[in-house]
Amino acid sequence: MACITRTPGPPPSSSLLSRLLLAFLLLVDLAAAYAELSDDVLRGIPSAGSDFDIKTGALLAPILIPRVPGTDNSLFVQHHFIDFFKSQLPEWTLEIHNSTSKTPGTGDREVPFANLILRRDPPWAAPGDVSRLTLVAHYDTLSKPEGFIGATDSAAPCAVLMHAARSIEDALAKKWAAMAENGEGGTGLEEEKGVQILLLDGEEAFVSWSSTDSLYGARALAKDWETQFYPAASTFKSPLQSISLFVLLDLLGARNPWPRIPSYFLTTHWAYQGMAKIEKRMRDLKLLQSVPPRGRSVFLPDSKKPAANFGGSYIEDDHIPFMARGVNILHLIPSPFPDQWHHSQGIPDDGEHLDIGAVDDWAKIVTAFTAEWMELGEYLPKAPPEKRDATSSKTEL
Ligand SMILES: *[C@@H]1O[C@H](CO)[C@@H](O)[C@H](O)[C@H]1NC(C)=O
């Protein structure tokens, strides 16, 4: 991760009017298709619990090692992801997108970069007809300082995405089975909606951040996806075009300072608002563990940001090569960065410095957001409010 860039105008060149219009159209589209999850469904969204333990957690612990591209550690972590999906989520397809590049830190050697693409499409749909909610984090780490772990950057976000995938799988399978049975699947009347997870390699610079020394995996993938064409009669031209929203998680799971995630892009502010509403509802229902300090109440405080205040300031990260090709981006990265970012204040970005409660909260928020997007409310487990005992309800009266 990344440096802050201020640009004179909004990143993809388009007039404010067309951006507003697009946002409006998306909003209308969203309102038509979108049913909010009920309180009982939000209560039923599972916590990752001990799977996020930093020493023994089945999801998180194996990622908390240095993961420099091209090293055995990097392969080990790739296998952790692959084994998880193969054994627990066999319906998700796996593709490894390979590329190589020289870097300013590694001389003439071609360093290999492997992006993992985990995908779940409706079973009846042709690949070119599916619009995909795309959840993204990078798994590589800085090569210096030696031994850098990158717990917030981005081990915890990777674990969050694994948890989200497994938490929606049963409902997704049930929904699609019901649709197939009712003859609603593959009628061509409705948009085919899928979901994919990109675990990207080579986000970090080897020497110092620049357009050529950073984002190795993301740049190669965006370029390849732009020219990988689906058959001519498909709804979408390319895997790039089939991305409905690119949700990038980075630097999440820290306690200090309290994470404040701005809304960076007017074009996707509606999606930000959707996620912020989920966070607020989950906090009000007491489903989240992180405790905001005085003066703060949420991770996502920008829902009311006026359109005029979207000035085109954003943070360079894995979304850049996709955004440059017109993909809609929701960037979940705090500003300012966490204190442990890149070990720049002497605080290591390791497991011990994570706020596991916050990591678990992100897992729930992202799961709920994905479930709402995929319209799984009917198929998810419901947890009614816990009954209070007679004494406590009496005191309240
Ligand atoms: C990428 O490399 C891996 C081995 O590291 C291989 O298994 C996989 O098939 C390759 N993917 C493609 C699309 O060639």
mmCIF file of all heavy atoms in Angstrom, residues 75 78 95-98, ligand 1:
data_model
loop_
_atom_site.group_PDB
_atom_site.id
_atom_site.type_symbol
_atom_site.label_atom_id
_atom_site.label_comp_id
_atom_site.label_asym_id
_atom_site.label_seq_id
_atom_site.Cartn_x
_atom_site.Cartn_y
_atom_site.Cartn_z
ATOM 1 N N LEU A 75 4.176 -19.176 -1.854
ATOM 2 C CA LEU A 75 3.527 -20.410 -2.325
ATOM 3 C C LEU A 75 2.721 -21.074 -1.215
ATOM 4 O O LEU A 75 1.620 -21.571 -1.446
ATOM 5 C CB LEU A 75 4.584 -21.407 -2.819
ATOM 6 C CG LEU A 75 5.071 -21.222 -4.245
ATOM 7 C CD1 LEU A 75 6.154 -22.252 -4.550
ATOM 8 C CD2 LEU A 75 3.903 -21.368 -5.232
ATOM 9 N N GLN A 78 -0.471 -19.183 -0.866
ATOM 10 C CA GLN A 78 -1.350 -19.514 -2.002
ATOM 11 C C GLN A 78 -2.037 -20.855 -1.759
ATOM 12 O O GLN A 78 -3.241 -21.000 -1.989
ATOM 13 C CB GLN A 78 -0.546 -19.612 -3.302
ATOM 14 C CG GLN A 78 -0.058 -18.298 -3.859
ATOM 15 C CD GLN A 78 0.908 -18.526 -5.036
ATOM 16 O OE1 GLN A 78 0.760 -19.470 -5.801
ATOM 17 N NE2 GLN A 78 1.897 -17.665 -5.153
ATOM 18 N N GLU A 95 -8.935 -20.048 -10.563
ATOM 19 C CA GLU A 95 -8.041 -19.813 -11.689
ATOM 20 C C GLU A 95 -6.821 -19.100 -11.124
ATOM 21 O O GLU A 95 -6.963 -18.227 -10.262
ATOM 22 C CB GLU A 95 -8.772 -18.917 -12.678
ATOM 23 C CG GLU A 95 -8.264 -18.938 -14.091
ATOM 24 C CD GLU A 95 -9.056 -17.935 -14.929
ATOM 25 O OE1 GLU A 95 -10.299 -18.049 -14.992
ATOM 26 O OE2 GLU A 95 -8.409 -17.028 -15.469
ATOM 27 N N ILE A 96 -5.658 -19.485 -11.599
ATOM 28 C CA ILE A 96 -4.457 -18.760 -11.186
ATOM 29 C C ILE A 96 -3.995 -17.928 -12.373
ATOM 30 O O ILE A 96 -3.779 -18.464 -13.460
ATOM 31 C CB ILE A 96 -3.347 -19.729 -10.729
ATOM 32 C CG1 ILE A 96 -3.874 -20.630 -9.596
ATOM 33 C CG2 ILE A 96 -2.126 -18.948 -10.257
ATOM 34 C CD1 ILE A 96 -2.853 -21.659 -9.123
ATOM 35 N N HIS A 97 -3.912 -16.645 -12.159
ATOM 36 C CA HIS A 97 -3.456 -15.754 -13.223
ATOM 37 C C HIS A 97 -1.983 -15.457 -12.981
ATOM 38 O O HIS A 97 -1.617 -14.803 -12.010
ATOM 39 C CB HIS A 97 -4.281 -14.462 -13.211
ATOM 40 C CG HIS A 97 -3.758 -13.422 -14.154
ATOM 41 N ND1 HIS A 97 -2.872 -12.439 -13.769
ATOM 42 C CD2 HIS A 97 -3.961 -13.233 -15.476
ATOM 43 C CE1 HIS A 97 -2.575 -11.678 -14.818
ATOM 44 N NE2 HIS A 97 -3.229 -12.131 -15.858
ATOM 45 N N ASN A 98 -1.130 -15.963 -13.867
ATOM 46 C CA ASN A 98 0.325 -15.834 -13.680
ATOM 47 C C ASN A 98 0.893 -14.718 -14.548
ATOM 48 O O ASN A 98 0.472 -14.538 -15.682
ATOM 49 C CB ASN A 98 1.012 -17.142 -14.082
ATOM 50 C CG ASN A 98 0.505 -18.340 -13.285
ATOM 51 O OD1 ASN A 98 0.462 -18.291 -12.064
ATOM 52 N ND2 ASN A 98 0.095 -19.398 -13.966
HETATM 53 C C1 LIG B 1 -0.233 -20.623 -13.199
HETATM 54 O O1 LIG B 1 0.799 -21.346 -12.543
HETATM 55 C C2 LIG B 1 0.379 -22.453 -11.784
HETATM 56 C C3 LIG B 1 1.579 -23.053 -11.128
HETATM 57 O O2 LIG B 1 2.188 -22.139 -10.298
HETATM 58 C C4 LIG B 1 -0.335 -23.455 -12.656
HETATM 59 O O3 LIG B 1 -0.818 -24.519 -11.863
HETATM 60 C C5 LIG B 1 -1.487 -22.773 -13.381
HETATM 61 O O4 LIG B 1 -2.080 -23.673 -14.272
HETATM 62 C C6 LIG B 1 -0.989 -21.544 -14.135
HETATM 63 N N1 LIG B 1 -2.165 -20.882 -14.665
HETATM 64 C C7 LIG B 1 -2.356 -20.640 -15.942
HETATM 65 C C8 LIG B 1 -3.630 -20.004 -16.315
HETATM 66 O O5 LIG B 1 -1.523 -20.948 -16.783
#
